[in-house]
Amino acid sequence: MPKALRIAVVGSGAIGSYYGAKLAHAGSDVHFLMRGDLNEVRRAGLYVRGKGENFRVGKVNCYNSTRKSARAIWS
């Protein structure tokens, strides 16, 4: 079985969060660098709702500094 991709989304606004959530939902190891709503995303996860798709990514790897995200990604 192939190893899951490890992906960093730098700048997790609407577009980055959307595509990152889709990748995480598909099984990739996604790490989000974000400034706003960090505690809310850690608490509730990311929701994608739209025409033809409706899912939640519960456990989100999110960070507010490049140092913390790089340490998590490269460890």
Side-chain angles (χ1 to χ4, degrees):
M1 181 172 199
K3 187 175 179 182
L5 291 175
R6 184 174 279 179
I7 299 166
V9 178
V10 178
S12 299
I15 302 299
S17 295
Y18 171 74
Y19 284 107
K22 286 185 70 88
L23 290 165
H25 185 67
S28 295
D29 183 12
V30 182
H31 298 258
F32 297 86
L33 178 61
M34 56 179 53
R35 289 189 287 181
D37 299 326
L38 183 67
N39 290 329
E40 182 66 16
V41 171
R42 284 182 177 155
R43 185 188 69 74
L46 290 172
Y47 291 86
V48 174
R49 294 185 185 117
K51 190 174 184 175
E53 57 189 355
N54 186 7
F55 63 90
R56 174 178 174 260
V57 178
K59 182 177 181 322
V60 179
N61 301 309
C62 55
Y63 312 92
N64 61 356
S65 77
T66 54
R67 178 172 286 163
K68 290 178 184 177
S69 64
R71 190 176 308 137
I73 291 167
W74 296 111
S75 63

